[in-house]
Each structure stands twice: as C-alpha cells, then as structure tokens.
C-alpha cells in the first residue's frame, strides 16, 4: 500500500503549497542571514574601532615610555651634576677649614711672640727701675759726700773737684742711658702696637672666613635637602 501511495502523482495544489512553504522558509532564512550580516558588520566596525583605540593606546604608551626614558636620563644627569657640586663644595669646605687651622696656628704663634715681647719689656722696666734706684742711691751718696766736702773744702778742694767731675760724668751716663731706654721703650711700644694691629687684622680675617664657612655650610645643607626632596619626588 505504501508503494502504491508513493507512486501516486502529487496533486498540483500540494506542489504549490510546498513551493509557498519553501519560499517562506527561504525568505525567513534570507532575513535571518541579512540580520546576521548586519550584526557581523556591526561587530566588524566595533572591532575596527577597538583596534584603532588599541593602536592609539600603544602609540600613547610608546610616547610615555619615551618621555619616561628622557626624564630618567635628565634626572640621572642632574643627579650627577648635583653630586659633582657637592664634591666641589666639600673640597671648598676642607680648604676653608685648612685655612682656618692655619690662621689659628698663626694667631697662637703671634700670641706667644707678644707674650715674649711683654716679658722682655717687663724685664727692661725692672732693669731700668733697678738702675734708677741705684743712680738715685749713688746721687744721694754723692750729695752726702758733697756736704762733707763743703765742710772740708779747704783741705779737700781737689778731691771735691774730682767728685764733681765724676758726678757730671755719671749724670751724662745717666742721661744717655735714659735716652737709650726711652728710645728702646718707644720702639717696643711701636712693635707692640704693630703686633696688636696684625692680630686685629688676623682676627677680622678669621671672622670673615668663619662667616664664609657658615654660609657655605648652609648652602650645602640646602642642596642636600633639595637632593633628598628630588629623590623622594622621583621615588613617588
């Protein structure tokens, strides 16, 4: 019966219905295909935009990398320059300290010389005082002797004249010695004044050097703080 049924010709109405059904299915499939194509085009457009954005990001990343490399090189160069400046300032500080030590030694030597000069002047004053006391004593003795000679003028006139001559000679020697002592005293006073002026000049120069050393130290501390801040900023 199945073979007989299959062998029967298909009615025209059924063929038309089948064609219509196939046409509907084909139309539906074409619509789905069109929809899928539209979605595919949209996805392709999104992919192209995404690729363009990725390219832009890669280009921007390359620029940032190049900028970071340049900044790193600049920072390294600036750090090297700062290190060289610090070394130069440390060298200048060492030289200033050496000069200050040398000036301190010279001032100490000058003080020793001045103390020696003061001691010599004191010794000369003591010697002059002893000599003056001796001369006064001798003059006093001569005066007493002169009084004795006045009482014995008739018998010892020649001796009196001799004593007067000795007195005049001693007076001349005393005057000469007094002038010499005065001259030497004036010279020593002048030398002492000169030494005091030199000591004042050395003291002024030492103060200037200490002020310069303080200024250099403050500048060095500022540079050190600036370098530390730069390090912290670069680390951040």
């Amino acid at each position: 019966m199945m073979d007989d049924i299959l062998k029967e010709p298909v009615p025209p109405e059924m063929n038309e219905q089948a064609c219509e059904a196939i046409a509907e299915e084909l139309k539906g499939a074409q619509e789905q295909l069109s929809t899928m194509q539209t979605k595919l085009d949209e996805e392709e457009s999104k992919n192209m935009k995404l690729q363009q954005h990725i390219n832009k990001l890669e280009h921007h990343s390359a620029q940032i990398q190049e900028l970071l490399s340049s900044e790193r090189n600049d920072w390294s160069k600036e750090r090297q320059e700062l290190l060289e400046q610090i070394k130069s300032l440390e060298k200048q500080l060492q030289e200033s300290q050496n000069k200050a030590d040398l000036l301190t030694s010279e001032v100490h030597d000058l003080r020793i010389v001045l103390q020696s000069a003061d001691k010599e002047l004191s010794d000369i004053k003591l010697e002059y005082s002893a000599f003056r006391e001796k001369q006064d004593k001798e003059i006093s003795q001569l005066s007493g002797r002169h009084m004795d000679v006045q009482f014995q003028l008739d018998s010892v006139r020649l001796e009196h004249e001799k004593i007067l001559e000795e007195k005049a000679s001693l007076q001349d020697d005393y005057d000469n010695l007094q002038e010499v002592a005065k001259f030497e005293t004036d010279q020593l006073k002048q030398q002492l004044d000169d030494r005091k002026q030199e000591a004042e000049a050395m003291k002024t120069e030492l103060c200037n050097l200490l002020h310069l050393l303080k200024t250099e130290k403050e500048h060095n501390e500022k540079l050190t703080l600036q370098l530390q801040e730069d390090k912290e900023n670069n680390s951040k």
Side-chain angles (χ1 to χ4, degrees):
M1 288 180 66
M2 290 300 298
D3 291 338
D4 293 338
I5 292 172
L6 290 174
K7 288 178 180 180
E8 287 292 329
V10 179
E13 294 84 0
M14 293 183 63
N15 286 331
E16 290 178 1
Q17 291 178 357
C19 288
E20 289 177 359
I22 291 172
E24 289 293 332
E25 290 179 0
L26 181 61
K27 184 178 180 182
Q30 287 177 351
E31 290 177 355
Q32 290 180 359
L33 180 62
S34 177
T35 303
M36 293 296 293
Q37 186 65 36
T38 302
K39 291 182 179 181
L40 182 62
D41 293 338
E42 290 177 356
E43 291 296 329
E44 287 291 334
S45 178
K46 290 181 181 180
N47 289 332
M48 289 179 65
K49 291 181 179 180
L50 183 61
Q51 185 65 36
Q52 290 177 356
H53 186 63
I54 290 172
N55 293 332
K56 289 182 180 180
L57 290 176
E58 288 179 351
H59 180 68
H60 186 62
S61 177
Q63 289 180 345
I64 292 175
Q65 189 68 27
E66 184 179 357
L67 182 61
L68 287 176
S69 178
S70 177
E71 290 291 335
R72 192 179 295 110
N73 292 331
D74 293 339
W75 178 83
S76 178
K77 184 178 180 181
E78 184 178 357
R79 179 175 177 273
Q80 185 66 29
E81 291 176 355
L82 288 175
L83 289 175
E84 291 177 358
Q85 290 180 1
I86 290 173
K87 289 181 180 179
S88 177
L89 290 174
E90 288 177 349
K91 184 178 179 181
Q92 292 178 4
L93 178 62
Q94 185 64 35
E95 291 177 354
S96 299
Q97 289 178 350
N98 294 333
K99 289 181 180 179
D101 294 338
L102 180 61
L103 288 174
T104 303
S105 177
E106 291 179 355
V107 169
H108 180 68
D109 295 338
L110 287 174
R111 286 179 180 174
I112 293 175
V113 172
L114 288 175
Q115 289 176 358
S116 178
D118 291 338
K119 185 178 180 181
E120 291 179 0
L121 182 60
S122 178
D123 294 338
I124 291 174
K125 287 182 178 179
L126 290 175
E127 290 178 0
Y128 177 74
S129 178
F131 175 77
R132 181 71 178 270
E133 184 179 357
K134 183 179 179 181
Q135 289 294 316
D136 291 339
K137 186 177 180 180
E138 289 179 356
I139 290 172
S140 179
Q141 290 177 357
L142 288 174
S143 297
R145 194 178 298 172
H146 178 66
M147 294 296 296
D148 293 337
V149 171
Q150 290 290 334
F151 291 112
Q152 300 174 3
L153 182 60
D154 295 334
S155 60
V156 289
R157 183 177 295 274
L158 295 176
E159 184 179 358
H160 176 67
E161 292 176 355
K162 183 178 180 181
I163 291 173
L164 290 176
E165 291 176 357
E166 291 178 356
K167 180 182 177 182
S169 178
L170 288 172
Q171 187 66 37
D172 292 336
D173 293 336
Y174 171 75
D175 293 337
N176 293 330
L177 183 60
Q178 189 175 11
E179 291 178 358
V180 171
K182 183 178 180 182
F183 177 74
E184 292 179 352
T185 302
D186 293 337
Q187 282 187 339
L188 289 174
K189 288 181 179 180
Q190 184 64 33
Q191 291 178 1
L192 183 59
D193 292 336
D194 294 339
R195 297 293 173 80
K196 287 182 179 180
Q197 291 178 0
E198 292 178 0
E200 289 295 329
M202 290 292 181
K203 183 178 179 181
T204 302
E205 186 176 359
L206 180 60
C207 292
N208 292 332
L209 287 174
L210 290 174
H211 180 69
L212 179 60
L213 179 62
K214 183 179 179 182
T215 303
E216 291 294 336
K217 184 177 180 181
E218 292 176 355
H219 184 60
N220 191 14
E221 290 176 354
K222 289 181 180 179
L223 288 176
T224 304
L225 292 175
Q226 184 64 36
L227 179 60
Q228 185 65 29
E229 291 178 358
D230 292 339
K231 286 183 178 179
E232 292 178 358
N233 292 330
N234 289 327
S235 299
K236 292 181 180 179

